[in-house]
Amino acid sequence: MLTEKTMERLRILAESAKYDVSCSSSGTVRSGKKGMVGNTVGGVGICHSFADDGRCISLLKVMLTNHCKYDCAYCINRRSNDIPRATLSVSEIEEIVMEFYRRNYIEGLFLSSGVVRTPDYTMERLTAIVRDLRTIHRFNGYIHLKTIPGATKELLIEAGRYADRMSVNIETPKEESLKALAPEKDHQSVFLPMSQIQQGVLENKEDRKKFRHAPRFVPAGQSTQMIVGATQETDRDILTMSATMYQQPSMRRVYYSGYISVNTYDPRLPVLKQPPLVRENRLYQADWLMRFYHFSVDEIVDDAHSHLDLEIDPKLAWALRHPEAFPVDINTADYERILRVPGIGVKSAMLIVNSRRFNRVTSYHLKKMGVVMKKAKYFITCGELTSSFSQPIVGINELHPERLRPLLLSKTQQKRAAEERQLSFEFLP
């Protein structure tokens, strides 16, 4: 039974866990099984996010303990902070998860922990929780487990047999920045468990080819997180690291967390009134371009543009820098070229390619397909928008990028970008 004392500790530990954004259940499906409790449906995201059908999926996001032997400058749970501390036992976490699931509060678990005693001691307790949930309590829902850097490979492999996803955070794209903010950590301690988990995933795939019912190993892959705005790295540095991470076959998502000034007393950190949310959003958009739109890092950011434009999205920024790539004829261009048109997404690009086999595509059809014509009309030609019609063509090459840009900007976008620029912090050498 959950006592008032247990609930108070749970409140403290849930509050301590809220700054980790790298949690999602995408990529795994656990069907309901006889004798098991719960399921993971459709590979959709949880932790109070929304499924494709609009459902809100909830996740118990909690730490085993917020005591930590490390003193990382950016972390609210750092050793030197005077904050309420709490620890839940292995059995208490298991009881909370099962009780909350039975009450229909949650559909899964995101479990992390501060490092106490040794990495192996902490990882062993985390592993015990997920093992007991699966084998004793027969819990069949989604479990995302944070990996403790420095733990032995044997513990990681055992945890991977029970968790759907495992993650370890990079925090910063450059090691010198990580050493400045967290002297007790380095990138090697992050990359080593990543490679060990990846090896386990690849070996499991081979085993499942030979043995159909071989147990799965981290079926939803890995994720990681980088802090945005706490150090002086450019967006190009961040996206270059993300591109490197995505080359690993087991890496599913890289998350970007706008820095929140939780430790304002530390001179190594910028003091911001609010997190750089616009920059964070632009990084997610650029990440999407790399993953689904066939853009490379050098196309999104380069030496002349090392930071993403805060006023417009990265795809539109690329289009304005490359007017020579337009206009794109919707009825003849290949799929990859259509994808690069601002206002056209993956689904609408596929609809265009499939629909034009049966009929000529016009602006009317594009609107029905969900194309944002407010943007796209300056970068395409189709149907009625050709020289054979009396209506003149007015596109990016006729207006020129410098004149077209103000037409595509809303006052709200300009205001948000201006506010975030005012929050910029000059890092001292």
Side-chain angles (χ1 to χ4, degrees):
M1 182 177 179
L2 302 181
T3 65
E4 186 176 341
K5 187 176 180 180
T6 302
M7 293 304 296
E8 176 60 23
R9 283 183 286 162
L10 178 61
R11 184 192 64 80
I12 293 172
L13 293 171
E15 180 73 16
S16 296
K18 71 179 184 180
Y19 296 103
D20 196 325
V21 301
S22 64
C23 49
S24 168
S25 71
S26 56
T28 183
V29 175
R30 285 182 179 272
S31 303
K33 295 181 181 179
K34 186 177 181 180
M36 302 291 284
V37 179
N39 61 76
T40 299
V41 181
V44 295
I46 58 179
C47 190
H48 297 95
S49 63
F50 290 89
D52 292 339
D53 59 1
R55 294 181 303 113
C56 182
I57 312 296
S58 57
L59 169 75
L60 175 60
K61 185 177 181 182
V62 67
M63 299 183 73
L64 177 64
T65 178
N66 62 351
H67 291 276
C68 191
K69 70 174 188 176
Y70 295 139
D71 200 35
C72 306
Y74 48 80
C75 183
I76 187 65
N77 302 308
R78 60 188 293 186
R79 181 180 65 236
S80 57
N81 270 358
D82 183 18
I83 61 171
R85 303 282 182 175
T87 302
L88 288 168
S89 67
V90 170
S91 60
E92 285 175 326
I93 289 285
E94 294 168 8
E95 182 184 6
I96 290 170
V97 171
M98 297 309 299
E99 191 68 25
F100 278 20
Y101 181 82
R102 292 189 182 102
R103 296 180 184 182
N104 203 29
Y105 293 165
I106 62 170
E107 296 179 62
L109 170 67
F110 176 90
L111 182 62
S112 62
S113 178
V115 181
V116 291
R117 298 191 187 179
T118 65
D120 275 354
Y121 173 81
T122 307
M123 192 68 202
E124 189 173 0
R125 299 181 72 198
L126 295 175
T127 303
I129 292 171
V130 296
R131 181 182 61 242
D132 290 351
L133 284 173
R134 296 294 194 209
T135 59
I136 298 176
H137 300 282
R138 312 299 290 171
F139 180 69
N140 200 42
Y142 172 78
I143 296 179
H144 183 150
L145 188 65
K146 294 294 294 185
T147 304
I148 304 299
T152 59
K153 181 179 179 180
E154 290 73 19
L155 283 172
L156 297 182
I157 296 301
E158 183 180 5
R161 297 192 184 106
Y162 306 106
D164 290 286
R165 173 168 288 183
M166 298 178 71
S167 60
V168 53
N169 293 344
I170 300 173
E171 308 296 9
T172 63
K174 291 187 177 180
E175 185 162 9
E176 52 266 32
S177 297
L178 182 63
K179 295 293 287 184
L181 299 183
E184 298 153 307
K185 294 182 178 180
D186 56 46
H187 273 174
Q188 178 60 27
S189 64
V190 177
F191 294 145
L192 180 59
M194 278 186 179
S195 63
Q196 291 171 341
I197 295 171
Q198 176 182 317
Q199 182 181 358
V201 171
L202 296 176
E203 289 176 354
N204 182 249
K205 285 184 178 179
E206 293 300 318
D207 290 341
R208 288 181 64 83
K209 289 179 182 178
K210 299 176 182 177
F211 309 102
R212 180 180 178 184
H213 297 291
R216 297 184 298 176
F217 181 88
V218 195
Q222 301 185 69
S223 63
T224 189
Q225 172 180 308
M226 283 186 277
I227 302 172
V228 178
T231 54
Q232 58 186 335
E233 280 91 357
T234 63
D235 293 338
R236 187 180 188 185
D237 295 328
I238 294 173
L239 292 174
T240 299
M241 175 59 76
S242 297
T244 302
M245 290 292 99
Y246 284 132
Q247 291 176 2
Q248 301 178 15
S250 62
M251 182 59 64
R252 298 294 180 84
R253 285 294 303 274
V254 176
Y255 291 85
Y256 309 95
S257 176
Y259 170 68
I260 302 173
S261 298
V262 292
N263 300 320
T264 55
Y265 59 86
D266 197 314
R268 294 172 291 177
L269 295 167
V271 179
L272 303 178
K273 293 182 180 179
Q274 65 185 47
L277 298 179
V278 178
R279 184 183 178 192
E280 176 188 307
N281 183 51
R282 295 292 179 234
L283 284 167
Y284 275 114
Q285 291 173 330
D287 184 277
W288 211 255
L289 292 182
M290 292 192 298
R291 294 168 62 206
F292 301 109
Y293 288 78
H294 308 164
F295 277 78
S296 66
V297 174
D298 291 334
E299 289 179 305
I300 301 170
V301 282
D302 52 30
D303 293 332
H305 306 87
S306 59
H307 281 282
L308 297 170
D309 196 318
L310 296 181
E311 291 184 340
I312 57 178
D313 66 81
K315 189 178 180 183
L316 179 57
W318 176 86
L320 292 176
R321 292 198 305 267
H322 296 85
E324 71 280 359
F326 303 98
V328 172
D329 190 335
I330 291 299
N331 287 287
T332 60
D334 58 27
Y335 174 75
E336 284 71 21
R337 286 197 65 197
I338 294 174
L339 265 185
R340 302 212 162 201
V341 176
I344 296 181
V346 174
K347 289 183 178 179
S348 52
M350 188 60 68
L351 282 172
I352 290 169
V353 173
N354 291 332
S355 299
R356 69 190 187 187
R357 293 183 300 168
F358 308 101
N359 195 12
R360 188 172 180 83
V361 177
T362 67
S363 61
Y364 172 80
H365 300 131
L366 294 178
K367 290 178 183 178
K368 290 289 185 180
M369 294 175 189
V371 173
V372 183
M373 289 300 292
K374 181 181 178 181
K375 291 182 181 179
K377 65 182 180 180
Y378 298 106
F379 301 92
I380 62 172
T381 59
C382 67
E384 72 280 7
L385 302 177
T386 62
S387 57
S388 61
F389 288 78
S390 58
Q391 184 178 358
I393 300 174
V394 180
I396 184 173
N397 292 301
E398 287 73 30
L399 286 173
H400 302 293
E402 60 275 10
R403 292 175 58 194
L404 178 57
R405 180 187 174 99
L407 299 177
L408 297 172
L409 274 177
S410 67
K411 291 183 179 180
T412 302
Q413 289 173 317
Q414 295 176 359
K415 182 179 179 182
R416 288 177 180 172
E419 289 175 350
E420 186 145 313
R421 288 194 193 96
Q422 293 174 2
L423 296 173
S424 61
F425 182 87
E426 294 295 332
F427 290 89
L428 298 176

